[in-house]
Amino acid sequence: MNRIVAKKTLRDFWEKHGDCEDYLKTWYDTAKISNWKTPRDIKRTYSHASILVNNRVVFNIKGNSYRLIVKFNYERQWAFIRFIGTHAEYDKINAEII
């Protein structure tokens, strides 16, 4: 991915939930240098990621303590942060349309 949109969303979250800062920074750094062209490419890097419709992927953060939803534009190599939250917060949203 050449461009990750909304890093501030991640930063704001780890400032409130300090236990996930290193995990989110690692995810960001990995995504920034990756050349993911398909969901399968993501699964090679993050085997526990869940591939959803509408080019969305759910990543488990900090041993599945948190959920990160990212919408990908594989052609342009863009990743849009759509959601980061706890399982309880995740359960209240529709991950396929957020």
Side-chain angles (χ1 to χ4, degrees), residues 46-85:
Y46 289 101
S47 62
H48 290 45
S50 298
I51 308 301
L52 305 179
V53 298
N54 298 323
N55 293 321
R56 286 167 172 75
V57 179
V58 180
F59 296 91
N60 300 317
I61 303 296
K62 192 188 172 244
N64 211 16
S65 296
Y66 302 101
R67 295 283 179 96
L68 170 65
I69 301 173
V70 182
K71 180 178 181 180
F72 288 94
N73 181 320
Y74 297 102
E75 184 177 304
R76 294 185 181 220
Q77 290 290 288
W78 292 348
F80 300 90
I81 306 298
R82 305 298 297 151
F83 172 85
I84 178 72

Side-chain angles (χ1 to χ4, degrees), residues 7-78:
K7 182 179 180 184
K8 183 179 182 318
T9 302
L10 298 179
R11 187 179 311 115
D12 290 347
F13 191 80
W14 78 54
E15 286 176 359
K16 293 178 185 170
H17 304 273
D19 62 331
C20 68
E21 179 176 358
D22 290 340
Y23 297 90
L24 288 172
K25 286 180 176 179
T26 298
W27 178 88
Y28 180 87
D29 291 342
T30 301
K32 187 85 173 155
I33 63 169
S34 293
N35 188 22
W36 295 326
K37 294 182 180 176
T38 67
R40 181 179 290 164
D41 294 338
I42 292 173
K43 291 289 276 184
R44 285 186 193 116
T45 306
Y46 289 101
S47 62
H48 290 45
S50 298
I51 308 301
L52 305 179
V53 298
N54 298 323
N55 293 321
R56 286 167 172 75
V57 179
V58 180
F59 296 91
N60 300 317
I61 303 296
K62 192 188 172 244
N64 211 16
S65 296
Y66 302 101
R67 295 283 179 96
L68 170 65
I69 301 173
V70 182
K71 180 178 181 180
F72 288 94
N73 181 320
Y74 297 102
E75 184 177 304
R76 294 185 181 220
Q77 290 290 288
W78 292 348

